[in-house]
Amino acid sequence: MERDALLSGTVHPGGRAPAPGRLALVQMFVNTVDREHGPDLFADVAGLTDWLGARGLLEPGVTVGAADLEAARDLREALRSLMHANNGAPEQPGARAVLEAAAARAELRPTFPVEAPELVPGRGGVDGALGRVVAATFAAMLDGSWARMKACPREVCGWAFYDRSSNASATWCSMAVCGGRVKAGAYYRRRRAGS
Ligand SMILES: [Zn+2]
């Protein structure tokens, strides 16, 4: 995938609509890597800086460090594993603890604006930015939209997609891209086993 396409956060295989509201930020955060073909925007500090800048999450003058990069990668994969769990996979132990640690580093605190209560980071910098991703996840878990936030089970894919099907039964990011390939592979293996 083109780096700019990944950075734009607008790639949605299968013509799916993005996740609603702030959950779209979590979806974009997880979809910062094309695991099959590259690139990975969080492969280096420059990429993470670019992504945070593109999302308006980096105050001027903040420099991103190696520890920030590791924290972002850990949080991304913890969120992906929970999205796999939303798609029927066993939950990865420790994933929720990664979210809790990121929330603590960001010093998330409840606020009560007239429109709706929300969690906001007490810290700035990358800790605060990652805290906004965690806060959006928290809100989605409370309003129920989180259950439809899934990761594609094809091993090299893992793309985060929002399942808008009426009975929340979608499995693949795209039937054409991943569902078809996995089914074709299963057909091939059955033929070989039978011959
Ligand atoms: Zn996929």
Side-chain angles (χ1 to χ4, degrees):
M1 193 181 296
E2 296 289 329
R3 188 177 186 280
D4 284 352
L6 211 50
L7 193 57
S8 75
T10 57
V11 177
H12 298 288
R16 293 184 186 280
R22 296 291 290 165
L23 186 53
L25 175 67
V26 185
Q27 181 179 29
M28 285 190 274
F29 181 77
V30 171
N31 287 340
T32 47
V33 56
D34 177 343
R35 300 198 325 157
E36 187 168 14
H37 307 289
D40 181 353
L41 295 178
F42 294 176
D44 52 40
V45 162
L48 175 58
T49 304
D50 287 349
W51 187 83
L52 292 170
R55 300 287 88 78
L57 291 176
L58 208 55
E59 305 100 327
V62 170
T63 50
V64 179
D68 296 323
L69 186 64
E70 194 181 338
R73 294 175 66 98
D74 286 352
L75 178 59
R76 181 179 71 182
E77 297 317 315
L79 287 166
R80 192 191 316 280
S81 80
L82 291 174
M83 292 178 190
H84 276 301
N86 284 345
N87 207 352
E91 188 169 315
Q92 189 177 303
R96 287 167 192 271
V98 172
L99 272 60
E100 286 167 0
R105 280 196 307 275
E107 295 175 9
L108 288 187
R109 54 190 169 78
T111 59
F112 300 91
V114 178
E115 315 79 65
E118 62 175 342
L119 294 176
V120 297
R123 298 288 298 265
V126 178
D127 283 343
L130 299 183
R132 292 190 187 277
V133 174
V134 174
T137 305
F138 184 85
M141 286 176 173
L142 286 182
D143 72 22
S145 56
W146 176 255
R148 288 175 176 267
M149 192 73 248
K150 300 178 176 179
C152 179
R154 188 163 72 95
E155 207 167 330
V156 293
C157 184
W159 196 256
F161 68 94
Y162 191 74
D163 181 0
R164 292 178 189 271
S165 65
S166 56
N167 50 357
S169 62
T171 300
W172 313 100
C173 68
S174 152
M175 195 58 215
V177 175
C178 286
R181 271 186 228 178
V182 169
K183 288 200 169 143
Y187 175 72
Y188 176 73
R189 283 190 297 276
R190 273 198 308 276
R191 294 239 322 176
R192 291 219 341 159
S195 63

